[in-house]
């Protein structure tokens, strides 16, 4: 046995189980190389000297129990070389019995696992650092999303204020101008003057309608007072007055939703309708807004049978082309915690779908 132990690449130590304090009776060259101690320096000593003053180690209790019970064990210990350098020693410890069953010796097979422990510690540090960085990125993402939501709120408030100015100030002033224009009519006797008056009246009437349309586009007044359904119905009637044919379905939702959801859904429909009018050349349009299968979500679908486009990688294509319409819709839905999908094929129309968590309006949020 000793010849085999002597030739082993593993560090091997044999202790006498009969003599007091289980002294070392044999170590192989691999032990000498691993610890720096020669055979003559360790014979007769208990292996505990390898722990130096570092005695508070759970592995020591494991070894004591194995010696007491005459059992095999496995543990990892902090040991110290002759130079004083610490190394991690993974110890396999088992008894050698005589023919009668009595234990005569214990054999310890030792492996220096310092490199493995250091690598494991590095991995743990790397994992901890990675988790920290992920946490910081997640915090920054949430902060960026909140900033984007705040920016949308500010933008909508500015639109609301501008719409009010257009409607209340500029609109009223043009109405007064229109009244003054009509008061001048009796004083115009020449045919040429009346023709100019008629032209001025037409231009002013068109300008008033343009201002009203701009005001409604910036911030539809009905959204604050009447809610999503009538406001979108009015939008579709105005935008599709000369075609295409359209169907609007609204079902399974509370009368009022959170303001951010209402304005978000309105903007998606508004942008979709604008794209249809400008680009699709569609004959039929369907807009569906419902409470989802169980009423816990808002589902929005806008589809048309128009020209369509290649929707593959539409986000990247929109970014390269500098088109912010679809990308803006997707970002708005994402900021509201929803999902956004675009399906389209050239010549086969377009389908835009969004899903949002349903948020009823808090009391007092709508006037």
């Amino acid at each position: 046995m000793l010849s085999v132990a002597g030739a082993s690449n593993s560090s091997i130590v044999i202790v006498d189980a009969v003599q007091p304090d289980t002294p070392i009776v044999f170590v192989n060259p691999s032990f000498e190389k691993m610890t720096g101690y020669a055979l003559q320096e360790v014979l007769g000593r208990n292996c505990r000297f390898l722990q130096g003053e570092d005695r508070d180690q759970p592995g020591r209790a494991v070894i004591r129990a194995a010696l007491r019970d005459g059992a095999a064990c496995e543990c990892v210990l902090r040991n110290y070389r002759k130079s004083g350098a610490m190394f991690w020693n993974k110890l396999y410890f088992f008894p050698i019995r005589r023919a009668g069953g009595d234990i005569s010796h214990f054999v310890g097979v030792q492996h220096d696992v310092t490199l493995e422990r250091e690598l494991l510690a590095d991995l743990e540090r790397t994992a901890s650092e990675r988790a920290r960085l992920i946490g910081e990125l997640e915090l920054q993402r949430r902060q960026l999303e909140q900033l984007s939501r705040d920016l949308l709120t500010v933008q909508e408030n500015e639109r609301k204020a501008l719409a009010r100015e257009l409607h209340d100030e500029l609109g009223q002033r043009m109405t007064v101008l229109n009244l003054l224009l009509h008061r001048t009519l009796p004083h115009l006797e020449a045919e040429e003057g009346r023709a100019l008056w008629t032209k001025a009246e037409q231009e002013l009437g068109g300008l008033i309608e343009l201002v009203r349309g701009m005001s409604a586009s910036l911030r539809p007044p009905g959204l604050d007072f009447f809610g999503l359904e009538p406001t979108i119905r009015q939008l579709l009637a105005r935008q599709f007055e000369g075609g295409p044919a359209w169907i609007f379905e609204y079902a399974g939702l509370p009368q009022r939703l959170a303001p951010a959801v209402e304005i978000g859904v309105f903007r998606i429909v508004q942008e979709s309708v604008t794209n249809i009018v400008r680009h699709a050349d569609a004959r039929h349009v369907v807009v569906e807004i419902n409470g989802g299968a169980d009423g816990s979500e808002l589902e929005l679908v806008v589809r048309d049978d128009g020209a369509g486009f290649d929707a593959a990688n539409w986000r990247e294509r929109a970014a390269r082309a500098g088109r912010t319409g679809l990308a803006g819709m997707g970002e708005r839905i994402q900021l509201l915690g929803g999902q956004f999908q675009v399906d389209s094929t050239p010549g086969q129309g377009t389908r835009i779908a969004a899903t949002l968590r349903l948020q009823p309006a808090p009391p007092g949020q709508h006037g």
Side-chain angles (χ1 to χ4, degrees):
M1 174 181 176
L2 293 180
S3 61
V4 173
S8 174
N9 290 326
S10 298
S11 170
I12 294 177
V13 57
I14 300 176
V15 299
D16 192 324
V18 177
Q19 296 185 50
D21 206 24
T22 55
I24 297 173
V25 295
F26 173 83
V27 296
N28 70 347
S30 293
F31 175 94
E32 296 177 317
K33 181 178 180 182
M34 185 173 74
T35 65
Y37 289 100
L39 171 63
Q40 297 304 319
E41 295 178 280
V42 300
L43 287 177
R45 303 176 68 179
N46 186 282
C47 288
R48 73 174 69 91
F49 84 90
L50 290 172
Q51 285 108 52
E53 299 300 321
D54 188 3
R55 301 296 176 86
D56 187 15
Q57 301 190 48
R60 288 170 52 83
V62 174
I63 295 173
R64 285 196 297 269
L67 290 170
R68 182 188 68 237
D69 301 335
C73 70
E74 175 185 334
C75 62
V76 177
L77 297 163
R78 291 184 298 274
N79 281 180
Y80 294 84
R81 309 184 203 277
K82 186 177 180 179
S83 65
M86 191 274 289
F87 68 98
W88 289 98
N89 178 15
K90 188 170 187 178
L91 172 66
Y92 299 93
F93 197 60
F94 56 91
I96 301 296
R97 299 180 184 275
R98 299 189 181 97
D102 294 336
I103 297 174
S104 61
H105 297 83
F106 279 90
V107 177
V109 181
Q110 302 171 317
H111 296 283
D112 185 347
V113 293
T114 305
L115 180 60
E116 289 88 336
R117 294 290 293 240
E118 290 176 350
L119 290 174
L120 180 60
D122 287 343
L123 287 174
E124 290 174 349
R125 283 192 293 270
T126 301
S128 177
E129 179 67 9
R130 180 174 179 271
R132 185 186 66 81
L133 291 174
I134 290 175
E136 289 183 358
L137 288 173
E138 178 63 20
L139 176 61
Q140 292 175 5
R141 184 190 65 80
R142 290 197 299 269
Q143 291 174 339
L144 182 60
E145 285 188 352
Q146 184 60 51
L147 181 62
S148 299
R149 285 192 290 269
D150 293 343
L151 183 60
L152 283 177
T153 300
V154 171
Q155 184 185 65
E156 290 298 336
N157 289 338
E158 290 179 346
R159 286 183 172 189
K160 188 175 183 179
L162 182 56
R164 185 181 298 113
E165 290 293 322
L166 284 172
H167 182 272
D168 295 347
E169 295 296 329
L170 186 57
Q172 289 180 11
R173 287 173 181 267
M174 287 192 295
T175 300
V176 171
L177 182 59
N178 192 32
L179 291 173
L180 292 173
L181 184 63
H182 275 269
R183 291 180 64 183
T184 64
L185 181 59
H187 303 286
L188 295 175
E189 298 180 357
E191 183 177 345
E192 181 178 355
R194 288 179 174 273
L196 289 173
W197 182 94
T198 301
K199 180 65 175 176
E201 181 191 39
Q202 292 172 348
E203 289 295 329
L204 184 57
L207 186 57
I208 291 173
E209 289 301 316
L210 179 61
V211 169
R212 287 175 178 170
M214 290 172 61
S215 177
S217 178
L218 282 168
R219 178 73 179 197
L223 192 61
D224 292 324
F225 294 101
F226 307 115
L228 195 57
E229 179 181 9
T231 306
I232 288 183
R233 193 176 298 278
Q234 184 182 44
L235 169 70
L236 298 177
R238 184 175 67 249
Q239 291 288 80
F240 295 148
E241 184 176 2
W246 56 276
I247 296 174
F248 177 44
E249 297 180 357
Y250 189 98
L253 291 167
Q255 184 176 1
R256 298 309 303 262
L257 304 173
V261 172
E262 288 190 343
I263 191 61
V265 172
F266 176 82
R267 293 298 183 205
I268 300 302
V269 176
Q270 184 184 44
E271 184 70 29
S272 300
V273 166
T274 299
N275 289 339
I276 291 170
V277 171
R278 290 178 179 175
H279 308 297
D281 192 26
R283 292 177 300 169
H284 302 91
V285 177
V286 176
V287 178
E288 302 172 70
I289 303 176
N290 61 71
D294 58 1
S296 64
E297 294 180 328
L298 182 148
E299 294 181 350
L300 164 66
V301 176
V302 181
R303 50 191 172 92
D304 67 76
D305 60 356
F309 60 95
D310 184 2
N313 303 317
W314 64 268
R315 293 182 189 272
E316 292 80 1
R317 292 172 181 267
R320 287 197 300 268
R323 299 173 186 165
T324 58
L326 286 175
M329 285 191 270
E331 289 172 2
R332 185 182 285 269
I333 292 298
Q334 186 177 11
L335 288 173
L336 290 171
Q339 302 293 323
F340 184 70
Q341 183 178 354
V342 177
D343 296 309
S344 187
T345 303
Q348 299 184 29
T350 299
R351 182 181 184 273
I352 291 175
T355 304
L356 294 172
R357 291 190 299 272
L358 193 57
Q359 302 175 33
Q365 285 292 312
H366 297 286

